[in-house]
Amino acid sequence: MFRSLVVPRAAARSAFKQNSLPKVVTPSAIARLSKRSYATEAEEKDLVIIGGGVAGYVAAIKAAQEGLKVTCIEKRGTLGGTCLNVGCIPSKALLNNSHLYHQILHDTKNRGIEVGDVKLNLAQLMKSKDTAVTGLTKGVEFLFKKNNVEYIKGEASFASEHEIQVNLNEGGERTVAGKNIIIATGSEATPFPGLEVDEKRIITSTGALALEKIPESMVVVGGGIIGLEMGSVWSRLGTKVTVVEFLGQIGGPGMDTEVSKAAQKVLKKQGIDFKLSTKVLGGDTSGDKIKLDVEAAKGGKKETLDADVVLVAIGRRPYTAGLGLEKIGLDTDERGRLVIDSEYRTKLPHIRVIGDCTFGPMLAHKAEEEAVAAVEYIKKGYGHVNYGAIPSVMYTHPEVAWVGQNEQEVKASGVKYKIGSFPFSANSRAKTNLDTEGFVKIITDAETDRILGVHIIGPGAGEMIAEGTLAIEYGASSEDIGRTSHAHPTLSEAFKEAAMSCYSSAIHF
């Protein structure tokens, strides 16, 4: 923050009091007085972070570890953002516990386990989720204290290029100044025109995490990861779920087509219905049932779907409301994303942007990587994120995970490629677990054997994809993986055998 060299009147009067008058009022004395006056208004921090979600809190902790004086501003009242509060963490709690419930109901007889009357206590299920969330958000707050990060609860907006005005949650205002500023305000659910969200009947993923009773029927608008995960939760608990997707496949365009078809087949067998290449025209919420009008995406016969609850899951959009970006002239693109360069800088170099409110996949782990890199740019002048090695996971059962390029992308690039795959039905650990749906698929460059993409559908896919991510990060070949010993019996042996089938042949299939 640029400071005026003019001595404030009050400070000047104090400086020239009898018996305290210096023989010469030096420039350094003037600077000290000016600085003291400025500090009473807003102490300047090395770094001010707007947003305490995954991107913001990781940046705050990393910066503090690097010796910077850091302030993090978050209006939610709890740290962790969407991910910890109403996203990744609570959804996984419900996915895990609903899977256990479903497994007890349908998958114990062949295991030699006889159960009696199984009941679901929805309130306790939600309480278990909330306990996990509270523990983790409090844990982040503890890390702030441990690393001396100042945490301000309130809504931030730019007063100037270096000053942030905060409307405090507890009342009142405060101004914080920063030599450097990071915007990490995240994203929000994209609304669907004509369907007004009330989080009771027309819901987003936030409402899907907090329904007070099990609906008889649910229509999920959007067949991406969020829609399929939350649809799976309620399907397991007894809801009749129908997924309406505009595209011709589920899982979004990033998912490998072969894997997408396999996932749809398994989820269909679990009771979820799909209407692909279908668009929603509108809805009527006036009756006991919501009536949703749909038709084929390319035009055709219209149809009306009835549902107790409609989950709108058509994606997320950057959240920058109330920041006052217009005051400092920051640019956003046509999708509302803040425009940055390769070092996360806006047109004002001391202001950087990371996470969901700028470019790239809206994933918590991507935001974490950007947080560390952005702080390193500030502190050291260099940082790095390999966007070609960012994994994605869908936590249905079986899980779906991938990293790198899918087959349709490799084919479009014109690169000659090979595919190696191995089914979990031939994996000894999967067979002993009676959990054999799915396969591992590895795509390699036909000339160099370098791994271009890894795609897994099956048990433990979300954990196993770490090996694929590491392989792509280090430029490994399929032979590198195939000649690496994997413990027996483990699910990861399917990964090794898929790699072997790329450059030679799998042993057990």
Side-chain angles (χ1 to χ4, degrees), residues 305-325:
L305 305 177
D306 292 338
D308 294 299
V309 173
V310 172
L311 167 59
V312 178
I314 59 173
R316 298 182 66 82
R317 64 183 184 183
Y319 182 79
T320 57
L323 280 178
L325 300 177

Side-chain angles (χ1 to χ4, degrees), residues 56-78:
Y57 86 69
V58 171
I61 293 170
K62 176 63 177 177
Q65 290 172 342
E66 292 288 344
L68 302 181
K69 292 176 66 178
V70 185
T71 292
C72 183
I73 306 165
E74 169 57 53
K75 71 177 184 180
R76 187 187 295 271
T78 55

Side-chain angles (χ1 to χ4, degrees), residues 478-501:
S478 67
E479 189 170 359
D480 289 330
I481 302 298
R483 293 188 180 278
T484 300
S485 181
H486 288 61
H488 174 78
T490 60
L491 297 172
S492 67
E493 288 179 288
F495 194 100
K496 172 186 170 77
E497 298 252 22
M500 291 175 69
S501 69

